[in-house]
C-alpha cells in the first residue's frame, strides 16, 4: 500500500533478536517522525514505551488504563499490577 496514513503493528518485536528489535524501533520512530500514525499492539513494554505517546492497558477485553506514557509512569498501582515482572 502506498502512502498509508495509519499502520497497525501487532507484536512486531516478537521472536526477534535484541539487535533486530533496536533497528526495528529506530525504523518505526523514523516513520513516526515523518507523520505516520502507528497503532502498536505490543507486550514488550520497553519497546512500546520508547515509541508510544499514549498507552492503553487491556485485560480480558476491558480497558484498565488510558493515558500518556507520563501518566502511566506516574501510576504506581497500574505499573505494579500490569507491568511488573
Amino acid at each position: 500500500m502506498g502512502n498509508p496514513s495509519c499502520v497497525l503493528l501487532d507484536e512486531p518485536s516478537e521472536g526477534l533478536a535484541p539487535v533486530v528489535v533496536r533497528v526495528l524501533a529506530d525504523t518505526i520512530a523514523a516513520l513516526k517522525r515523518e507523520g505516520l500514525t502507528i497503532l502498536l499492539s505490543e507486550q514488550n513494554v520497553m519497546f512500546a514505551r520508547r515509541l508510544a505517546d499514549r498507552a492503553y492497558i487491556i485485560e480480558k477485553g476491558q480497558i484498565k488504563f488510558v493515558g500518556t506514557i507520563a501518566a502511566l509512569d506516574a501510576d504506581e498501582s497500574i505499573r505494579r499490577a500490569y507491568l511488573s515482572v
Side-chain angles (χ1 to χ4, degrees):
M1 180 174 159
N3 259 352
S5 59
C6 181
V7 173
L8 168 62
L9 299 174
D10 185 13
E11 299 286 341
S13 72
E14 173 121 13
L16 300 178
V19 68
V20 176
V21 172
R22 284 190 295 274
V23 170
L24 178 62
D26 291 343
T27 302
I28 293 169
L31 292 170
K32 182 180 166 185
R33 283 190 300 275
E34 291 177 12
L36 182 63
T37 299
I38 299 167
L39 178 58
L40 178 66
S41 174
E42 181 63 62
Q43 291 186 32
N44 179 336
V45 175
M46 297 307 290
F47 178 81
R49 285 183 81 256
R50 176 179 173 201
L51 298 166
D53 298 316
R54 299 188 55 77
Y56 295 78
I57 295 177
I58 302 169
E59 178 185 42
K60 296 179 183 175
Q62 294 188 332
I63 297 174
K64 300 296 184 171
F65 175 86
V66 174
T68 64
I69 296 301
L72 180 61
D73 289 343
D75 193 329
E76 185 176 338
S77 64
I78 290 290
R79 284 193 338 257
R80 192 177 316 119
Y82 297 103
L83 304 179
S84 296
V85 176

